[in-house]
Amino acid sequence: MNQPLKSRSAEIPKLTEDQLGIMREFLVQTLDQAASSMGQMLRIRIKADLLGFGEGEIDRIQEFDDLGQFRVHVMKVALKGPIGGAFYFIVNSHELDTINRVCLPKEVSAPTNSESRQIKFGFIAEIENMIAALATTEISEFLGVQLFGQVPEISIIQGNAVNEYLWEEAHANHSTFFVRSVLAGMVVEVAPHFIWMLDDEFKRILRMNS
């Protein structure tokens, strides 16, 4: 059974309403930029939806449990620098197929051989990495710190295992602040999740800068 996440720095005060308001404005702006960049790469209209953010650990996402054994593509980009944490870009196999079918030439998207699969995964990985890099840059500039994204880690797991994966990641990385968002197609039915998990140092620096 999942246990409450304990912070390494329990003495750090909670963020104020004003600080959370500043963070909301930053997130909306950053996610809109991510949606615009993703839309340009996919050549489809994308809208960013900020579904939640705050202190503590992210709530269980029922949508993943509902996928059952349906395969899900998870890309993690861990942060390197004064702030610990990671970004997670999560897309199910149906959405991945839709993106490839809409955005790649038919001679690439139609075949199912290993070379074609490698191109398809490479395409979505490039998009995911671009979005993570954009978010890393925006946080760095917003807080006046120097952050870098580490080499992406890609996993393919069952949908009903995603929540457990995120819980384990939160505890392993001492996450105490989360962001949950979706980058959804406005015409094409794709809605990958873009999730952030950050540690106490993020909150400490945010308090210092606001």
Side-chain angles (χ1 to χ4, degrees):
M1 182 177 178
N2 294 355
Q3 298 297 320
L5 183 63
K6 293 183 179 179
S7 168
R8 289 178 301 172
S9 305
E11 72 277 5
I12 294 181
K14 286 186 173 294
L15 297 172
T16 66
E17 289 299 319
D18 286 344
Q19 289 163 342
L20 290 172
I22 292 170
M23 190 64 194
R24 175 179 289 278
E25 291 180 8
F26 165 73
L27 289 172
V28 169
Q29 180 181 352
T30 299
L31 293 172
D32 281 346
Q33 290 182 38
S36 177
S37 297
M38 180 176 171
Q40 289 176 13
M41 290 192 72
L42 296 180
R43 299 189 298 278
I44 61 176
R45 295 172 64 195
I46 299 290
K47 179 179 182 295
D49 290 325
L50 177 59
L51 302 181
F53 73 98
E55 297 179 83
E57 60 182 295
I58 191 169
D59 290 335
R60 194 172 188 89
I61 300 172
Q62 185 62 42
E63 181 180 336
F64 294 140
D65 287 338
D66 292 342
L67 289 173
Q69 297 183 357
F70 207 61
R71 288 188 306 168
V72 171
H73 176 281
V74 180
M75 190 184 85
K76 169 188 173 181
V77 175
L79 293 174
K80 182 178 181 180
I83 295 172
F87 300 119
Y88 304 85
F89 193 91
I90 306 172
V91 55
N92 68 51
S93 58
H94 173 71
E95 293 170 328
L96 186 61
D97 289 342
T98 299
I99 289 172
N100 287 327
R101 186 176 65 252
V102 170
C103 302
L104 292 177
K106 190 174 182 180
E107 58 269 24
V108 173
S109 62
T112 58
N113 56 55
S114 59
E115 182 179 357
S116 175
R117 285 196 297 271
Q118 187 174 3
I119 293 173
K120 293 173 187 176
F121 279 113
F123 178 62
I124 192 65
E126 181 181 353
I127 294 169
E128 296 165 344
N129 203 29
M130 175 272 297
I131 293 171
L134 183 151
T136 302
T137 299
E138 291 300 314
I139 291 180
S140 296
E141 294 180 356
F142 176 60
L143 296 178
V145 297
Q146 194 168 32
L147 295 174
F148 303 94
Q150 298 190 32
V151 176
E153 301 174 22
I154 298 176
S155 305
I156 299 176
I157 60 179
Q158 293 181 354
N160 57 13
V162 173
N163 280 306
E164 189 66 23
Y165 166 83
L166 292 175
W167 182 83
E168 290 175 355
E169 284 289 308
H171 283 251
N173 296 313
H174 306 283
S175 172
T176 59
F177 191 91
F178 73 90
V179 177
R180 179 188 169 199
S181 67
V182 167
L183 301 175
M186 298 178 68
V187 177
V188 179
E189 292 187 6
V190 295
H193 280 74
F194 185 36
I195 292 172
W196 306 14
M197 294 186 189
L198 304 170
D199 68 5
D200 272 341
E201 193 64 13
F202 162 77
K203 294 190 295 183
R204 188 187 70 80
I205 296 174
L206 176 60
R207 288 179 62 84
M208 288 175 57
N209 283 275
S210 55

